[in-house]
Amino acid sequence: MEEKKVLEELRRYRERDLKYEEGRILGSMCTKPHPISRKVLEMFLETNLGDPGLFPGTKGLEEEVIKMIGEMLHNRNPFGYIISGGTEANITALRVVKKMARERGKREVNILIPESAHFSFEKAREMMDLKYEKIPLDKRYTMDVKYLRDYIEDKGKDVDGIVAIAGSTELGTVDNIPEISKVAREYNIYIHVDGAFGGFVIPFLEERYRLEGYNYNFDFSLDNVFSITVDPHKMGLAPIPAGGILFRDISFKRYLEVEAPYLTETSQATLVGTRPGFGVAATWAIMKLLGPEGYREIVSQCMENTYYLVRRMKEYSFESVIDPVLNIVAIRDENPLDTSLKLRKMGWYLSTCRCVEALRVVMMPHITREHIDKFIEALARCKKR
Ligand SMILES: Cc1ncc(COP(=O)(O)O)c(C=O)c1O
């Protein structure tokens, strides 16, 4: 094909995709990347962090990004990678938990995990033959810490890891990680925090939470939090793929390394081998451009829009399942699947919850008040209110 024709064909396919700026994508945890991403993509298109000896500049950027995210999470000395996403990050953390358990002579690897955990943990369980004990949720839809404590008191020596969630996929809830940390320290248990979504939100709402009297701390300042998933390609505004896994320090690296005889380095720790550098470079650029103040503004705007949606819902007697903690609203509905399909026919794309009968809106930066107004009217029409 001629180039002109190839591009024409591509355009035709691309036109079938939804566009974030149209405001119809209401259920995604990704958004339109920061505009600098285009320039970065061009500069870093051919970089491959699977062989960092060939791309020491890009590798240097990755180390700086990990340091910057580490600082956001109260850790000056983190170790980690910018990888394909939250799924790979969670799998990577559980690789470490499994290796550590094996070194202690354990054959079965037992992990406590809340009902609210993302389905990526199911993939990890299957791949690594892990044993999960699902911890029920309390009335705030967070991990029931009393249940957790009772379970550990009963079977403490058998527990190899705890997964806690800082920003659940469905409702945006944050587990009581300060309390979980106390139990974990007492019994010397590894905590992995999945802050894939919340990692780029909670640190920028600290002031608001403090004023409102909440303690949503989830980071390395808490004992036994040894790894955290934080995805720049969600609320960090980075282009896909840019997931993040951070460990407390470099000592965790050895659990991940395998020999890599034909590369410029002798070992490789990431799950994916060949991996792009542009997500790393774009994350670096966006974090430098925005700084904490820039993120704070974006997160505040998303939260204001979240509260705005809840207010507009009340006008039509729609109920929010919880008072939003992050920029996610769950709208109670007796038949969410059916409603979401009807809404899809009307051009609105949002998803449903599993833990409660509800529709779910993730209030990402691409959604404006105008979009919210149009959506709420569509929902009212759909439900004949
Ligand atoms: C809390 C949480 N963890 C992990 C993931 C998986 O992330 P990814 O789709 O980037 O692999 C998601 C995705 O929405 C998530 O919400």
Side-chain angles (χ1 to χ4, degrees):
M1 270 191 202
E2 280 170 35
E3 185 179 302
K4 190 166 157 264
K5 182 100 178 76
V6 167
L7 291 173
E8 250 169 42
E9 283 280 296
L10 285 178
R11 236 169 262 127
R12 237 167 26 84
Y13 277 93
R14 179 71 179 114
E15 270 162 20
R16 282 160 50 190
D17 294 342
L18 293 181
K19 311 289 180 303
Y20 288 113
E21 52 271 35
E22 289 162 3
R24 296 287 177 139
I25 303 178
L26 300 182
S28 172
M29 293 187 136
C30 293
T31 191
K32 198 172 173 69
H34 189 284
I36 198 164
S37 310
R38 260 174 228 285
K39 292 181 188 154
V40 179
L41 173 61
E42 209 173 332
M43 280 168 81
F44 285 83
L45 184 63
E46 64 194 43
T47 57
N48 169 20
L49 282 171
D51 207 352
L54 301 179
F55 301 96
T58 310
K59 181 63 199 164
L61 285 174
E62 182 172 50
E63 283 161 6
E64 284 195 29
V65 167
I66 293 300
K67 222 170 154 42
M68 286 194 279
I69 300 178
E71 269 164 28
M72 244 165 66
L73 305 176
H74 297 108
N75 183 349
R76 287 170 172 270
N77 223 0
F79 151 74
Y81 298 98
I82 297 301
I83 47 182
S84 62
T87 301
E88 188 185 345
N90 288 336
I91 292 171
T92 302
L94 295 190
R95 277 183 69 205
V96 168
V97 175
K98 177 170 179 173
K99 272 277 179 60
M100 288 173 94
R102 282 284 147 84
E103 284 194 5
R104 288 195 298 274
K106 290 282 301 288
R107 286 202 54 75
E108 211 176 71
V109 183
N110 295 306
I111 293 177
L112 308 186
I113 182 163
E115 296 274 6
S116 52
H118 184 259
F119 57 81
S120 49
F121 288 102
E122 196 44 36
K123 298 180 187 173
R125 188 191 63 75
E126 226 178 77
M127 287 164 74
M128 292 184 268
D129 199 21
L130 307 167
K131 293 277 175 297
Y132 283 175
E133 174 70 23
K134 290 274 177 83
I135 306 295
L137 304 183
D138 56 22
K139 58 179 187 305
R140 294 181 316 130
Y141 298 96
T142 57
M143 175 146 64
D144 185 336
V145 182
K146 181 170 178 330
Y147 186 103
L148 179 87
R149 179 174 269 285
D150 289 347
Y151 186 91
I152 292 174
E153 277 173 4
D154 203 29
K155 301 214 169 93
K157 283 204 204 66
D158 263 355
V159 179
D160 301 296
I162 300 172
V163 170
I165 316 295
S168 66
T169 314
E170 291 186 39
L171 301 178
T173 51
V174 181
D175 286 334
N176 187 347
I177 302 173
E179 279 306 309
I180 295 166
S181 155
K182 285 184 200 159
V183 188
R185 189 178 69 168
E186 216 175 294
Y187 289 86
N188 196 22
I189 303 171
Y190 184 113
I191 304 176
H192 169 64
V193 174
D194 183 359
F197 187 75
F200 266 95
V201 181
I202 302 163
F204 306 112
L205 286 173
E206 247 173 12
E207 184 64 15
R208 183 191 291 252
Y209 292 148
R210 202 176 49 76
L211 291 175
E212 290 172 4
Y214 294 112
N215 181 1
Y216 290 131
N217 191 3
F218 68 100
D219 67 23
F220 290 109
S221 59
L222 298 172
D223 289 327
N224 289 49
V225 170
F226 292 136
S227 53
I228 306 181
T229 292
V230 188
D231 287 351
H233 71 199
K234 295 189 169 75
M235 280 296 288
L237 267 59
I240 301 164
I245 180 70
L246 274 80
F247 292 89
R248 185 171 280 267
D249 57 51
I250 190 85
S251 69
F252 291 88
K253 187 177 184 188
R254 73 180 180 88
Y255 300 107
L256 293 168
E257 281 175 316
V258 298
E259 269 184 50
Y262 52 83
L263 297 179
T264 45
E265 296 196 335
T266 53
S267 70
Q268 190 173 79
T270 50
L271 186 62
V272 170
T274 303
R275 61 190 178 100
F278 76 84
V280 170
T283 304
W284 186 93
I286 296 163
M287 289 187 79
K288 288 284 182 194
L289 272 175
L290 292 177
E293 262 324 302
Y295 279 114
R296 210 164 281 129
E297 254 174 53
I298 290 164
V299 168
S300 280
Q301 185 66 49
C302 291
M303 289 309 291
E304 291 310 321
N305 285 346
T306 301
Y307 300 135
Y308 179 71
L309 171 60
V310 174
R311 283 201 302 277
R312 297 277 353 241
M313 281 160 54
K314 281 188 186 142
E315 289 173 26
Y316 294 91
S317 306
F318 291 115
E319 191 197 341
S320 171
V321 174
I322 56 163
D323 282 338
V325 177
L326 305 184
N327 45 328
I328 297 179
V329 182
I331 309 167
R332 244 184 238 289
D333 189 288
E334 62 288 352
N335 197 346
L337 207 58
D338 183 58
T339 309
S340 74
L341 288 176
K342 280 188 188 142
L343 284 168
R344 190 169 295 190
K345 282 197 187 125
M346 295 163 77
W348 296 94
Y349 286 72
L350 62 168
S351 48
T352 58
C353 295
R354 192 185 45 172
C355 67
V356 55
E357 302 272 273
L359 299 160
R360 162 182 170 273
V361 173
V362 188
M363 196 60 75
M364 295 303 284
H366 61 266
I367 304 170
T368 64
R369 293 211 171 188
E370 209 185 330
H371 299 139
I372 297 170
D373 287 338
K374 284 192 182 141
F375 164 67
I376 202 76
E377 280 154 25
L379 181 64
R381 270 201 311 282
C382 176
K383 302 299 285 184
K384 300 198 173 30
R385 289 197 190 170

